[in-house]
Amino acid sequence: MSRYWQLWQVARGPTLAVALGILSGCVYRMPIQQGNYLDPAVIAQVKPGMTHSQVRYLLGTPMVPGAFDNTRWDYDYYLKAKRLKGPGRGHVSIYFANNLVARVDSDVKAAPFAEISARGAQAPEPHGGGVH
């Protein structure tokens, strides 16, 4: 056997390990998003006295609707975008009394990540009677 072949036999393991280490950093990891995107500007538009349909228009369908009690809607958001960075999380609870918003509890202080859309959302005006 030649000297180069013996050198290759010795260096093959560490060379392969380095190559695999470099290539594993090039793997694309898809962002994992769950729940409704919670934008603080949109959450701030939810005011006491709004109807269920107005809240649904602004925030979407609640992640955890009340099964037996429709006086509380919960919205959760989770986004794991990068490998080494912690996930973005947010939670909003909307409380209703007499089918109107009574109060809003939110732990969303800033947008979890960049805006999804440059177009803002506005709640529609309520249309007379009807169950919401």
Side-chain angles (χ1 to χ4, degrees), residues 23-80:
L23 290 176
S24 68
C26 299
V27 173
Y28 174 73
R29 299 197 191 286
M30 183 189 303
I32 300 169
Q33 177 180 335
Q34 296 176 341
N36 304 64
Y37 181 77
L38 299 173
D39 185 355
V42 175
I43 295 168
Q45 292 180 23
V46 178
K47 303 286 185 199
M50 293 178 90
T51 64
H52 285 89
S53 61
Q54 288 175 309
V55 174
R56 187 177 288 115
Y57 181 82
L58 284 173
L59 299 178
T61 304
M63 182 81 169
V64 187
F68 302 106
D69 183 14
N70 205 21
T71 61
R72 176 180 171 169
W73 285 1
D74 288 300
Y75 293 87
D76 288 305
Y77 182 73
Y78 174 91
L79 178 61
K80 177 72 173 156

Side-chain angles (χ1 to χ4, degrees), residues 4-15:
Y4 292 111
W5 179 252
Q6 290 173 343
L7 241 168
W8 170 245
Q9 291 294 327
V10 172
R12 180 175 58 185
T15 303

